[in-house]
């Protein structure tokens, strides 16, 4: 995001100001002159969207026009989107700092606006020759509101973690291969405070992770399996939470090759689930949440190289279950399955996995929500759903009926790796269920993980979806 966020007591006389208002705000109490107030009120009435701008010759006052909503979480989202609009303006004017003043007396909205502004300021410029010229000017946000210092630092931490996740997704395979992702995890762990252990190919072989090894057979790079852990002394939970992320650093489909152009173009994003879980670990560690969490990232690319696994192969998985491979493009579930069965050793309280797993989830919900399924308790589900609304990364709980499980029965092995043409995201979930024996929620983020065109503060490219969701879930525990 390239911007710092801090709490401030009040705005300085020469600051650039974004003033958040509603119909009750008394503008003169926030430093506007009577003439400015008259002008702003008239303009706000006329404005359908956008913002009123007061040019004070040397500084600006921006008053975003935000539609009033009845539902709190929809109102907050409107403020995030307004943050994106303000970001565009501030950078166009080449301003370096801004003070956000909450004239609505509502910390939730003020935090949401600041979040939208900070996330919208994110750029991925690493590969531009003239990166410096392209860089956004905005570098500092001060927030004057009723939000507590803790709320503001938590916001800063989660925005930084989303930034890490987005950059991991945006990195092409030429940089972020299976070995590099484990190095990035170590770097981020060192920076934010969580522990990392990386299992190499030998160790993965010794553990008989047949799914991860099968997908890796067509690759020139070895697989990696990274284990992250945040275990503070004051952890409130006895049994850890486990986060599993799909780390397919590039998905060609393997021998069941994806058609190109189009469906292969964005497949550097296929480690989006890994990015989500790495980002979540980073946010938790930065905020020093009192919760014991373990993260597991199985990583490889999926290619049709020399010894690639083939349609028709039978693979013995880490758990001992055998899988008939009928489509090598259904590779994510192969490596997630091994990580999920590895997770049993932690006797977890709850396991989340996140994965850009199926085109079916993308077709069903687009980028508007996360397809979720599993067998967690009602209370765990409702907490997650509440977090989804609060941060506007909404989860849609899918039916998980046994009939969907019947669709992956195989003639020659315990299960097969694809179902039929219907409900593909649910049959994928049913496949994963075989490798769990604990409370578990599967998040299929194929829709919202990567944007082909700019989507407000989520931007273009990797979104880091799921980091804010899971951070909110753990913060509220
Ligand atoms: N990585 C893809 C899913 C995907 C599609 C992610 C679009 C992001 C955007 C996954 O590995 C895949 O190829 N799934 C197949 C499974 C099928 C062969 C059963 C799919 O969904 O088409
Ligand atoms: Zn695939
Ligand atoms: Zn994939």
């Amino acid at each position: 995001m390239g911007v710092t966020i801090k709490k401030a007591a009040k705005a300085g006389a020469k600051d650039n100001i974004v003033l958040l208002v509603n119909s009750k705000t008394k503008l003169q109490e926030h430093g506007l002159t009577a003439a400015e107030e008259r002008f702003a009120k008239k303009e706000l009435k006329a404005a359908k969207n956008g913002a009123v701008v007061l040019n004070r010759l040397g500084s600006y006052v921006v008053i975003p026009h935000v539609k009033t909503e009845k539902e709190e979480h929809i109102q907050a989202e409107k403020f995030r989107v307004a943050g994106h609009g303000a970001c565009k303006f501030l950078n166009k004017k080449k301003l370096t700092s801004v003070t956000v003043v909450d004239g609505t007396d509502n910390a939730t909205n003020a935090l949401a606006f600041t979040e939208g502004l900070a996330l919208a300021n994110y750029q991925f410029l690493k590969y531009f020759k003239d990166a410096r010229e392209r860089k956004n000017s905005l570098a500092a946000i001060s927030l004057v509101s009723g939000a507590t210092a803790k709320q503001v630092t938590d916001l800063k931490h989660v925005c930084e973690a989303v930034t890490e996740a987005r950059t991991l997704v945006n990195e092409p395979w030429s940089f972020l291969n299976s070995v590099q992702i484990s190095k990035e995890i170590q770097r981020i762990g060192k920076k934010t405070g969580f522990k990392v252990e990386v299992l190499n190919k030998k160790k993965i072989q010794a553990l008989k992770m047949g799914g991860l090894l099968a997908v890796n057979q067509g690759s020139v790079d070895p697989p990696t399996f990274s284990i992250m852990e945040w275990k503070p002394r004051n952890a409130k939970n006895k049994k850890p939470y486990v986060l599993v992320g799909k780390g397919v650093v590039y998905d060609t489909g393997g021998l069941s090759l994806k058609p190109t152009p189009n469906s292969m173009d964005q497949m550097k994003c296929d480690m989006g689930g890994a990015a989500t879980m790495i980002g979540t670990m980073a946010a938790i560690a930065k905020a020093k949440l009192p919760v014991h969490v373990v993260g597991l990232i199985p990583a490889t690319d999926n290619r049709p190289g020399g010894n690639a696994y083939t349609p028709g192969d039978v693979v013995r998985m880490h758990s001992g279950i055998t899988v008939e491979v009928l489509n090598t493009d259904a590779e994510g579930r192969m490596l997630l399955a091994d990580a999920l069965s590895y997770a049993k050793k932690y006797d977890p309280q709850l396991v989340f996995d996140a994965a850009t797993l199926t085109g079916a989830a993308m077709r069903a919900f687009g980028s508007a929500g996360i397809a979720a399924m599993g067998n967690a308790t009602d209370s765990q589900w409702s907490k997650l759903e509440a977090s989804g609304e609060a941060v506007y990364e909404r989860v849609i709980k899918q039916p998980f009926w046994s009939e969907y499980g019947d669709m992956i029965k195989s003639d020659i092995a315990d299960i097969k790796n694809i179902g039929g043409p219907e409900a593909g995201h649910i049959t994928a979930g049913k496949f994963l269920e075989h490798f769990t024996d604990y409370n578990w929620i599967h998040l299929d983020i194929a829709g919202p993980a990567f944007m082909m065109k700019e989507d407000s503060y989520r931007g273009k490219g990797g979104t880091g979806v799921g980091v804010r969701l899971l951070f909110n879930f753990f913060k509220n525990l």
Side-chain angles (χ1 to χ4, degrees):
M1 61 180 177
V3 68
T4 62
I5 302 172
K6 68 175 204 306
K7 186 176 160 69
K10 63 185 198 43
K14 296 213 166 111
D15 287 4
N16 298 300
I17 291 170
V18 172
L19 178 59
L20 306 179
V21 303
N22 57 22
S23 57
K24 294 193 193 103
T25 311
K26 298 203 173 69
L27 299 180
Q28 288 188 51
E29 279 180 13
H30 297 284
L32 266 64
T33 63
E36 284 176 334
E37 170 162 13
R38 262 196 314 277
F39 172 75
K41 280 206 165 146
K42 196 179 87 215
E43 290 282 300
L44 276 171
K45 230 182 220 161
K48 292 236 163 45
N49 34 47
V52 177
V53 176
L54 306 175
N55 185 344
R56 285 177 165 171
L57 306 179
S59 68
Y60 288 93
V61 179
V62 180
I63 308 176
H65 184 263
V66 182
K67 194 168 160 250
T68 306
E69 296 286 347
K70 277 200 209 83
E71 286 189 80
E72 198 185 347
H73 72 280
I74 296 180
Q75 183 71 78
E77 178 64 2
K78 289 272 152 78
F79 274 95
R80 282 187 202 95
V81 171
H84 170 253
C87 184
K88 290 252 135 114
F89 174 83
L90 298 167
N91 282 305
K92 204 169 117 199
K93 297 289 176 197
K94 303 241 180 296
L95 306 178
T96 56
S97 67
V98 66
T99 302
V100 176
V101 177
D102 179 24
T104 70
D105 232 3
N106 181 320
T108 304
N109 292 341
L111 288 163
F113 178 88
T114 307
E115 182 169 61
L117 174 58
L119 293 177
N121 203 46
Y122 171 83
Q123 294 176 291
F124 183 65
L125 299 176
K126 179 174 165 186
Y127 294 100
F128 287 112
K129 195 168 161 214
D130 60 348
R132 242 198 244 167
E133 286 140 57
R134 292 172 187 255
K135 197 171 176 325
N136 283 340
S137 57
L138 185 65
I141 306 173
S142 303
L143 175 58
V144 179
S145 81
T148 63
K150 171 94 175 64
Q151 283 176 311
V152 177
T153 49
D154 278 355
L155 176 68
K156 172 177 174 283
H157 290 141
V158 80
C159 288
E160 286 166 357
V162 172
T163 295
E164 290 281 12
R166 288 170 78 173
T167 294
L168 287 173
V169 175
N170 288 332
E171 279 288 2
W173 172 82
S174 57
F175 173 75
L176 197 79
N177 59 25
S178 51
V179 173
Q180 189 62 34
I181 196 170
S182 71
K183 291 187 181 157
E184 295 297 308
I185 293 168
Q186 286 171 315
R187 174 184 63 78
I188 294 168
K190 212 174 219 170
K191 195 167 100 183
T192 63
F194 63 79
K195 268 195 344 208
V196 180
E197 185 191 359
V198 178
L199 310 185
N200 62 15
K201 184 169 180 182
K202 256 203 175 138
K203 198 79 210 282
I204 292 166
Q205 283 168 328
L207 286 166
K208 301 193 169 140
M209 293 190 167
L212 175 57
L213 289 163
V215 176
N216 181 250
Q217 273 171 214
S219 175
V220 293
D221 297 324
T224 57
F225 190 97
S226 300
I227 303 171
M228 309 176 269
E229 184 166 28
W230 170 249
K231 190 180 186 183
R233 282 214 187 105
N234 60 349
K236 298 244 162 73
N237 53 325
K238 285 225 170 66
K239 297 162 132 211
Y241 288 86
V242 177
L243 309 176
V244 174
K246 172 176 172 181
V248 173
V249 288
Y250 196 83
D251 184 9
T252 69
L255 283 172
S256 312
L257 195 65
K258 286 179 186 294
T260 184
N262 272 330
S263 67
M264 207 190 290
D265 300 0
Q266 69 185 81
M267 279 306 136
K268 69 172 182 180
C269 82
D270 215 17
M271 34 55 69
T276 298
M277 295 323 197
I278 298 163
T280 302
M281 291 295 299
I284 290 171
K286 275 171 184 271
K288 298 194 167 35
L289 294 189
V291 58
H292 179 196
V293 194
V294 171
L296 304 176
I297 308 295
T300 179
D301 50 354
N302 181 27
R303 285 185 186 263
N307 203 26
Y309 79 138
T310 70
D313 272 355
V314 175
V315 174
R316 191 177 301 278
M317 309 288 279
H318 172 262
S319 73
I321 290 176
T322 56
V323 174
E324 181 188 11
V325 175
L326 286 175
N327 191 318
T328 62
D329 198 10
E331 84 297 341
R333 64 197 75 183
M334 300 294 288
L335 40 122
L336 286 173
D338 282 351
L340 288 172
S341 89
Y342 186 83
K344 290 176 192 164
K345 77 172 211 179
Y346 296 100
D347 185 22
Q349 175 87 17
L350 171 64
V351 175
F352 285 104
D353 79 76
T356 48
L357 201 63
T358 66
M362 188 184 222
R363 286 189 293 276
F365 307 112
S367 60
I370 299 170
M373 60 206 88
N375 49 18
T377 64
D378 287 346
S379 135
Q380 290 167 332
W381 271 109
S382 50
K383 282 182 185 137
L384 184 70
E385 283 162 340
S387 291
E389 291 206 333
V391 306
Y392 220 70
E393 292 185 340
R394 294 163 296 181
V395 297
I396 312 129
K397 189 179 174 191
Q398 304 295 296
F400 216 42
W401 301 317
S402 62
E403 286 80 355
Y404 296 114
D406 296 340
M407 297 176 182
I408 54 168
K409 284 184 176 156
S410 160
D411 294 334
I412 71 156
D414 297 325
I415 47 175
K416 57 182 180 180
N417 82 330
I418 52 167
E422 291 152 4
H425 55 304
I426 306 180
T427 54
K430 279 294 185 187
F431 178 95
L432 298 178
E433 188 184 28
H434 282 271
F435 303 89
T436 65
D437 67 357
Y438 38 65
N439 293 339
W440 159 69
I441 294 179
H442 161 56
L443 302 170
D444 192 332
I445 58 169
F450 193 86
M451 299 296 163
M452 295 301 270
K453 57 180 202 306
E454 187 181 81
D455 178 27
S456 183
Y457 62 89
R458 280 168 285 267
K460 188 175 177 177
T463 61
V465 67
V467 175
R468 294 188 301 118
L469 170 71
L470 293 173
F471 181 70
N472 187 278
F473 176 90
F474 287 112
K475 199 177 65 177
N476 291 342
L477 276 183

